Every structure is written in C-alpha cells, then in structure tokens.
Amino acid sequence: MKIELRNLEVKYKKKIILNDINHTLDDGKHILIGPNGSGKTTLVKCILGMIDYNGKIMTNGVKSISTNLIDVYKLINSDVRDIINIYSDIFSVERENIYSMIKKFRVERILNNRINSISTGESKILGFSIAMNINADLMILDEPFEGIDISRKSIIIKYLNGKKSNYLLITHELDLIDQLNFDGLSFIINGRIFGEFRNVNLKDIYFSKKNTGKILGYVNLGKDEYFITEGNGEIPLTSFRTIEELWGDNDAF
Amino acid sequence: MIMMLFKYILKTLLKNKTVWFWGLLYVTIWLFLGVFVWGNSIDRNYLKYYAGIWFAFDSIISISSISVTLSYSIYYASSSLAYLFRNSSMKPFKYYMENMFSIGTFFVIMGTILELIEIILFSIKFNVIILPGNIILTVILFFISGMIFYSFSMILVIIMNNYLGLKNVGFVSFIPMILSWLLSYSILYIKLPSYVIYSNFITTLTYIFTYSFIEKTPWIILTDPFSPHINVFICTISIIAWLILLMPICIYSLSKIRASSIEEARVS
C-alpha cells in the first residue's frame, strides 16, 4: 500500500487550510500529531476523496479506506442500530462483530439512539468500531480519543496495538501516543506536514529552539521555529499532554 | 446487498414527523377548506371533476412539500455519499435506484392515505362516495411523481452544495414547492401557453393526476368547462421524458457530490 500526497493544497474562502503538502504513507502504523485547527480533518477528507483539492493524491494498492469520521456514517438520520446494519451490509462485515465491540466499550445504550443525538465520545466509539471491522487497506482515525474517558481510551489503544493492518492515527493528544506501537511519526502544523520520522522512540524526541542533539527536522509554528531532535534537546515531547502546550508561554524555552 | 438500503430509507421516511406534517396534515387542511368551505357552491354535476381537481392539486402540493425535506436528506448525506462512492461497493446508480424505490413506495403509501381522506371528506359533505376512476394509474403517478420531484431536488441541492455555497441550500430546497404552487394554481384559472404546459412536469403531472381521478380528459383551464381539453398523450410523453432526462443527470451529479460541513451550514 502506498499513498503519495503531492503539492496538496486546500483553501476555504482565501484561507489556506492545507499548504503544499508532500507526504508519503506506506505500509505500517503512522501517527500524525497536530493541534486543533491545523488541517487534520481536512487532510483526512482529502485522502478519503470527500472534498476537492489542488495537487495530487496517488494511491497504489489502496482499494478502500476505513475511517472513524462520524459524518461518513450519516447516510440517513436513523438510529445507531440501523446505521451499523447498513454499513455492515455495504462493506460485507459481520454486524455482530461491531455490536460486540460496542458492548466492550459499554455504550450499548446508543444503539437505539439517533446518530445525531449521541455525544462526541460516543460517535468516536461508533466510528472506531465500524472502521476497525471494515477490511480496508488503510484505516484513518481522526482524534479517536476525543471526548472519551481514560478506561475507554485504554480499550482503543489495546485494539490498535493488536491490529496488524495499516493505519494513520491523527491526534493532538500526546500523553497516549507512547502507549501505541507505531512505525512513523509526523506533525501537521498550520496546514503543513513535518516528518515523517521513522522508527523513533517517543521518549527520545525533543523540541529545541537551539540546534542540539541529532536533528530529525523542524516545525514552524508561525512566529517560532523549533528543531525536532532525538536523544538530546530542551523539552521532551512526552512532557506535553497536548501539542497545543507548545504554543503556550513555555518557560522551558 | 440487493435493495439493502430500500427498507432503511423507507423506514426513516415513515418515521419522519416533518414529512407527515407537510405531506399529509398540511394538504388535508387545504382539502378540508376545499370541501367544506369552497365546496358549498359546487354544482353536483361537476362533483367528481371537483374532487379530481382537488386530488391532483393536493397530491402535487404534498409531493413538492415533502421534496423540501428530502432535499435536506441529500445535503445531510453528502459526506457519507462522497466517502462511500469512492471507498465501497455502493455506487451512484445503485444508491439512486434504491432511493427512488423507497421514495416512490413512500409516496404510494402516503398518496393512498390522502385519497382515503379525500373520499371520506367528500362523503361526509356530499353524502356520496367518490372513488378515483383509475386507481392503478394514481398509484403509478404517485410513484413516478416522487421519483421526478426527488430527482429534481437532488440535482438542485448537489449543484448548491458543490459549486454555489451552502448559504442558498435553504432557498433552493423550496424551489420545487414554489414552482408547484405557482404552476398548479395557475392552471386552475389561467390558460398557460402550450409550451409551458407541456414542457414542465408540474402542470403535466397535475393534469394526469386529474385525468386518473375523473377518467376524462381535463380542461386546459381546470375550472373552466368551456376551455379546450388537454392532450393527455403529450402530457404522458413529457412526464416520461422528464423521468428519462433527470435520471442520468442525477446519477452524474451524485458521482460528483462533495462533503459539506453541517456546522458550516449552520453558520451560513
């Protein structure tokens, strides 16, 4: 499997959402870290073919992509049980497997609720449960931990670590990533992707204003540029709970 | 997966209170006025004709009112459709056909109830049971009308969604209903030019609905017995042509559908 993004650009009312992205996704487990408003969901929608863009997305060996984006599962405004039945039929998936996953998350109560009335966390669990069961070449998870309590987050991590196929997980929450097995790590900031850094240990990644340690790359936060270093640096990535903290008046710098 | 979506779409429609309100209750109020208020002065020799006109007028208004709600359903599903057409075995043709059968079936159910209500109201007022002359034709017409109106709404909403921005989706979804009121009401009292009458599906469907009820060729001005008769054959050809024309445009539009943000529409 290979997905190549070439000069990818998305604008909305003159505002640049994705800015000249060149990135390659191949077999494996990928993590993309980005703050809110950095263009994460727009990137997902581009890869899924849901919105127009400039540039090219070349896919090789990718027939279908599954996702946890809840909008994708709003074919009709019906109850969650119907939605699961419809999508399991469309993707030829055993619906009982999806129900069983919903039960493991202990959110069976949503089955009789309308899809529009469930909470953000519940919709993330629903999207995740369907996406995990679709036999796709790639699974894209957009903020899978959003609105979910810690015990259910652990269940998601357990499922992901047990999954053998390819996925791209996009999140702004850093405190959970070190529990995940992954092959590549990259950052999306202000509509641009930095990375990917392969086979890195999250605990060894640092952000530094000065050129210290082994430089993997850099991120441009608009007003400041930071080196991403391995092994040595000013602030360890794992000291942030969310990527947004990098923008704060960080005394450490 | 054959006709898999059919039952779910039909079930959703049957449970949709907005659809029942605008499709049945709203037009029943008009029918009530037609029978009990404006019906007082009607010549009993023209009673079946009068019932036929009301049946046609109410059916068109009902179907066009529901098409407003259906327009929103396309817009609501845009993200899902954009995703499914590219990542699953669900393709625009299959989706279109399953939708059409669900909606056509729903209109047959609702139309049958509307017919029953009309029969009951007329029998209460005039102590006579007036049945539609050709029930099979009325059933076919409800099915076809649903397909045509829905296809028309679908094309308008997809154009708005993809190319002209979300601000106008609300207005555009009302276009079929506005046109229905204008055209169906006009032919009650005005002789429209032939090219207008035969070139649009609203007037032709109104005439054919009337024809199916009274089993006689309707007058061009529906309430004027001295006006010439309509050409039923040309009306039928026009309806079939619309059905054939809208289908490929709809399937093509669906294949181009892009995800719209529901949040964006809320702020538009």
Side-chain angles (χ1 to χ4, degrees):
Chain A
M1 177 219 71
K2 194 172 191 179
I3 296 179
E4 290 183 74
L5 314 178
R6 292 288 167 259
N7 307 111
L8 190 67
E9 188 180 79
V10 175
K11 284 181 185 171
Y12 175 67
K13 288 182 179 174
K14 292 181 182 174
K15 189 189 172 191
I16 296 173
I17 312 290
L18 295 179
N19 185 7
D20 195 28
I21 286 180
N22 288 285
H23 194 68
T24 303
L25 283 172
D26 47 22
D27 285 329
K29 300 177 177 184
H30 306 268
I31 292 186
L32 182 60
I33 298 168
N36 291 323
S38 58
K40 301 191 296 286
T41 305
T42 304
L43 178 68
V44 174
K45 286 182 177 177
C46 284
I47 298 173
L48 293 172
M50 291 164 64
I51 56 172
D52 289 327
Y53 51 81
N54 295 321
K56 275 187 180 174
I57 298 180
M58 291 172 282
T59 55
N60 189 5
V62 182
K63 284 181 185 164
S64 69
I65 305 173
S66 66
T67 179
N68 68 336
L69 272 187
I70 196 67
D71 282 356
V72 154
Y73 300 107
K74 291 181 175 176
L75 187 60
I76 56 172
N77 184 12
S78 190
D79 56 53
V80 170
R81 192 183 301 277
D82 282 352
I83 297 293
I84 291 172
N85 293 345
I86 289 170
Y87 281 82
S88 55
D89 283 351
I90 290 175
F91 286 99
S92 304
V93 169
E94 282 293 327
R95 60 183 65 167
E96 290 310 320
N97 293 346
I98 303 173
Y99 287 134
S100 146
M101 202 176 258
I102 295 275
K103 278 176 192 162
K104 278 190 178 149
F105 280 106
R106 303 183 311 279
V107 288
E108 306 96 301
R109 61 180 180 279
I110 67 169
L111 292 174
N112 295 321
N113 293 354
R114 285 197 167 253
I115 189 166
N116 273 344
S117 69
I118 60 176
S119 69
T120 304
E122 288 165 344
S123 60
K124 291 289 176 185
I125 288 172
L126 174 64
F128 179 80
S129 302
I130 300 175
M132 278 290 287
N133 281 286
I134 293 173
N135 186 22
D137 301 302
L138 173 71
M139 176 171 72
I140 301 183
L141 298 173
D142 183 30
E143 298 286 8
F145 307 115
E146 191 182 12
I148 295 176
D149 63 69
I150 191 70
S151 65
R152 292 187 176 99
K153 282 178 181 175
S154 305
I155 300 174
I156 290 178
I157 289 166
K158 200 174 161 188
Y159 273 123
L160 287 175
N161 285 339
K163 189 172 172 67
K164 286 180 182 160
S165 49
N166 310 309
Y167 70 70
L168 168 65
L169 187 150
I170 304 178
T171 184
H172 73 288
E173 296 183 60
L174 297 168
D175 53 350
L176 296 162
I177 294 170
D178 62 347
Q179 297 175 45
L180 284 166
N181 304 328
F182 61 88
D183 303 303
L185 176 76
S186 40
F187 296 87
I188 179 167
I189 293 164
N190 293 335
R192 297 184 66 192
I193 291 185
F194 301 89
E196 167 177 76
F197 312 118
R198 304 282 297 188
N199 303 316
V200 289
N201 187 337
L202 211 63
K203 290 186 176 75
D204 293 334
I205 305 281
Y206 292 82
F207 281 85
S208 312
K209 276 190 175 175
K210 293 170 191 165
N211 182 349
T212 54
K214 180 187 167 190
I215 297 172
L216 296 172
Y218 77 101
V219 289
N220 188 333
L221 304 185
K223 59 176 185 178
D224 292 312
E225 276 191 6
Y226 294 108
F227 291 102
I228 302 168
T229 55
E230 189 178 16
N232 191 15
E234 292 172 35
I235 292 202
L237 181 63
T238 48
S239 68
F240 300 119
R241 198 174 55 83
T242 67
I243 189 71
E244 280 80 2
E245 289 175 21
L246 195 59
W247 273 256
D249 294 327
N250 206 318
D251 295 334
F253 285 114
Chain B
M1 215 171 79
I2 296 165
M3 298 306 280
M4 177 268 301
L5 264 180
F6 170 83
K7 67 173 180 180
Y8 293 110
I9 296 172
L10 183 59
K11 182 182 159 189
T12 307
L13 281 170
L14 290 170
K15 287 166 76 177
N16 189 324
K17 288 172 191 162
T18 311
V19 163
W20 284 107
F21 178 84
W22 290 106
L24 201 63
L25 189 64
Y26 171 66
V27 291
T28 301
I29 293 167
W30 283 104
L31 187 61
F32 188 87
L33 292 169
V35 174
F36 292 98
V37 180
W38 301 312
N40 284 329
S41 57
I42 203 76
D43 182 340
R44 287 187 79 90
N45 292 326
Y46 291 110
L47 206 52
K48 180 140 189 175
Y49 204 97
Y50 186 67
I53 293 169
W54 266 106
F55 171 68
F57 185 72
D58 257 17
S59 300
I60 292 294
I61 297 303
S62 166
I63 294 164
S64 64
S65 303
I66 292 173
S67 74
V68 176
T69 309
L70 294 177
S71 302
Y72 277 101
S73 73
I74 305 154
Y75 165 66
Y76 173 86
S78 60
S79 293
S80 180
L81 293 173
Y83 167 76
L84 286 173
F85 293 154
R86 285 157 190 85
N87 292 285
S88 77
S89 57
M90 173 70 73
K91 297 298 170 209
F93 176 76
K94 182 176 164 48
Y95 174 77
Y96 177 79
M97 294 310 287
E98 293 210 24
N99 237 325
M100 288 302 122
F101 275 103
S102 317
I103 283 156
T105 307
F106 174 77
F107 278 116
V108 169
I109 294 167
M110 204 209 53
T112 306
I113 298 170
L114 193 63
E115 276 184 61
L116 286 171
I117 291 172
E118 180 165 351
I119 292 164
I120 292 165
L121 290 181
F122 269 85
S123 70
I124 292 169
K125 172 70 180 173
F126 300 104
N127 287 318
V128 57
I129 292 176
I130 305 169
L131 296 173
N134 189 338
I135 292 174
I136 294 169
L137 182 57
T138 63
V139 169
I140 294 169
L141 278 173
F142 273 113
F143 198 89
I144 289 174
S145 306
M147 290 173 78
I148 291 177
F149 269 91
Y150 181 57
S151 301
F152 184 62
S153 303
M154 184 185 278
I155 293 164
L156 292 178
V157 169
I158 294 175
I159 290 170
M160 280 295 138
N161 181 60
N162 284 10
Y163 308 110
L164 300 172
L166 301 174
K167 280 181 186 171
N168 302 314
V169 167
F171 169 71
V172 160
S173 62
F174 278 90
I175 287 178
M177 193 172 85
I178 294 166
L179 287 175
S180 295
W181 270 103
L182 279 174
L183 291 166
S184 289
Y185 197 77
S186 297
I187 58 172
L188 290 176
Y189 304 107
I190 300 168
K191 184 181 183 300
L192 294 175
S194 294
Y195 63 85
V196 175
I197 288 173
Y198 295 112
S199 67
N200 77 82
F201 58 83
I202 296 169
T203 49
T204 47
L205 280 170
T206 310
Y207 285 123
I208 300 294
F209 262 118
T210 312
Y211 172 75
S212 74
F213 198 95
I214 62 174
E215 275 196 306
K216 285 177 187 168
T217 311
W219 306 305
I220 279 189
I221 302 170
L222 280 171
T223 55
D224 181 2
F226 301 106
S227 65
H229 291 279
I230 199 78
N231 188 323
V232 173
F233 178 73
I234 299 177
C235 284
T236 309
I237 295 294
S238 173
I239 291 166
I240 294 168
W242 271 105
L243 201 62
I244 294 169
L245 177 73
L246 288 170
M247 186 178 159
I249 299 174
C250 243
I251 293 168
Y252 176 77
S253 305
L254 278 170
S255 72
K256 298 287 173 195
I257 198 166
R258 289 287 175 263
S260 64
S261 161
I262 292 163
E263 286 73 22
E264 186 189 332
R266 281 193 192 125
V267 296
S268 293

